[in-house]
């Protein structure tokens, strides 16, 4: 997979993209990523990329031309990438969408700043707007890093085994089951005995039950769209009975 990021702050992104899981995957050429400074594509002698909006709204708006010039330069002679604008107006990023994006060959991510981006360039080049939550940040750089991290860790070879992410929260519609490590007892709290048993079938059963319980308690709305088994429904029914008795 190839990822291009158009931003006003490439150095901010590079630091993160060179570290930890993402950095190791990049070093192994599991994916390539290039951060492009939008200022390099302005024709203004002061490298200006913004101007006041045609409204009474305060602040500055990123102009079309530098962004468009960046996009055309980066994609020249190549197949069109899937273009994503990181925006609070976009659909909220989900694990399912990240998995779908990980199947693509090329992604171009646009990071807005100030009061956002002139809508005309969004209409011209953007295929999809993605949000990382119902809140507003200073720019699209942090959301872009969230998206890249989420997508890259599902590329083959990034993690040692697929179940490193397949068992995680949201991948199968449920939150992740509780996790434990050594020591076996900490502050009088013991690791569940089943995890020490070596019985893989019982451990798998426990994990599923705990995932259902965690989802019921923390994010019950996720259960509405999650494929549930008869055993899952029985667990939920018991939890609901306990709630009613409180």
């Amino acid at each position: 997979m190839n990822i291009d990021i158009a931003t006003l702050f490439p150095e901010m992104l590079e630091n993160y993209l060179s570290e930890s899981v993402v950095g190791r995957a990049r070093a192994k050429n599991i994916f390539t990523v290039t951060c492009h400074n939008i200022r390099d594509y302005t024709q203004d002698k002061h490298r200006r990329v913004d101007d006041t909006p045609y409204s009474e709204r305060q602040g500055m708006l990123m102009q079309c031309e530098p962004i468009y010039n960046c996009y055309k330069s980066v994609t020249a002679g190549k197949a069109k990438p899937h273009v994503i604008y990181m925006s609070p107006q976009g659909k909220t990023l989900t694990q399912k969408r990240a998995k779908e994006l990980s199947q693509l060959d090329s992604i171009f991510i646009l990071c807005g700043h100030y009061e956002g981006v002139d809508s005309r360039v969004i209409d011209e080049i953007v295929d999809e707007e993605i949000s990382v939550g119902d809140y507003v940040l200073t720019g699209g750089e942090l959301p872009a890093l969230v998206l890249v991290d989420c997508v890259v860790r599902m590329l083959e070879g990034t993690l040692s085994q697929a179940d490193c992410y397949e068992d995680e929260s949201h991948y199968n519609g449920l939150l992740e089951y509780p996790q434990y490590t050594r020591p076996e007892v900490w502050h009088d709290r013991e690791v569940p005995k089943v995890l020490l048993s070596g019985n893989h079938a019982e451990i798998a059963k426990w994990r599923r039950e705990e995932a259902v319980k965690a989802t019921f308690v923390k994010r019950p709305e996720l259960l509405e769209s999650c494929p549930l088994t008869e055993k899952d429904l029985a667990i939920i029914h018991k939890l609901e009975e306990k709630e009613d008795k409180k």
Side-chain angles (χ1 to χ4, degrees), residues 85-226:
Y85 174 46
M86 306 308 302
S87 164
Q89 296 187 22
K91 292 184 178 179
T92 304
L93 177 64
T94 64
Q95 193 78 356
K96 179 177 181 293
R97 185 58 186 143
K99 178 63 175 177
E100 293 168 349
L101 292 173
S102 73
Q103 307 301 314
L104 301 179
D105 293 326
S106 183
I107 295 174
F108 183 100
I109 303 173
L110 171 60
C111 301
H113 205 66
Y114 310 118
E115 292 301 318
V117 170
D118 188 311
S119 291
R120 291 171 293 184
V121 76
I122 297 174
D123 296 338
E124 183 79 15
I125 68 171
V126 171
D127 298 305
E128 176 181 14
E129 295 185 40
I130 290 181
S131 168
V132 294
D134 294 334
Y135 46 86
V136 178
L137 298 171
T138 303
E141 284 73 25
L142 288 175
L145 290 175
V146 170
L147 177 63
V148 172
D149 191 299
C150 193
V151 169
V152 166
R153 63 199 320 278
M154 287 188 283
L155 296 177
E156 184 176 355
T158 297
L159 302 180
S160 57
Q161 300 178 47
D163 59 9
C164 289
Y165 64 80
E166 288 178 354
D167 281 349
E168 291 178 333
S169 296
H170 302 293
Y171 185 84
N172 61 3
L174 297 173
L175 299 186
E176 189 177 17
Y177 48 80
Q179 297 266 33
Y180 303 89
T181 187
R182 295 180 180 81
E184 292 181 19
V185 181
W186 179 81
H187 286 203
D188 295 327
R189 298 174 183 269
E190 298 184 7
V191 174
K193 297 299 183 184
V194 64
L195 299 180
L196 309 176
S197 68
N199 188 322
H200 298 297
E202 287 300 313
I203 290 174
K205 178 183 176 183
W206 178 88
R207 286 175 172 173
R208 180 71 184 191
E209 291 177 353
E210 292 301 314
V212 171
K213 290 177 183 178
T215 307
F216 178 87
V217 172
K218 299 176 181 179
R219 295 287 304 278
E221 74 279 7
L222 295 177
L223 296 172
E224 297 175 6
S225 57
C226 178

Side-chain angles (χ1 to χ4, degrees), residues 67-81:
I67 295 170
Y68 185 72
N69 290 343
C70 176
Y71 168 75
K72 293 298 288 184
S73 176
V74 169
T75 61
K78 303 176 183 177
K80 183 187 182 304

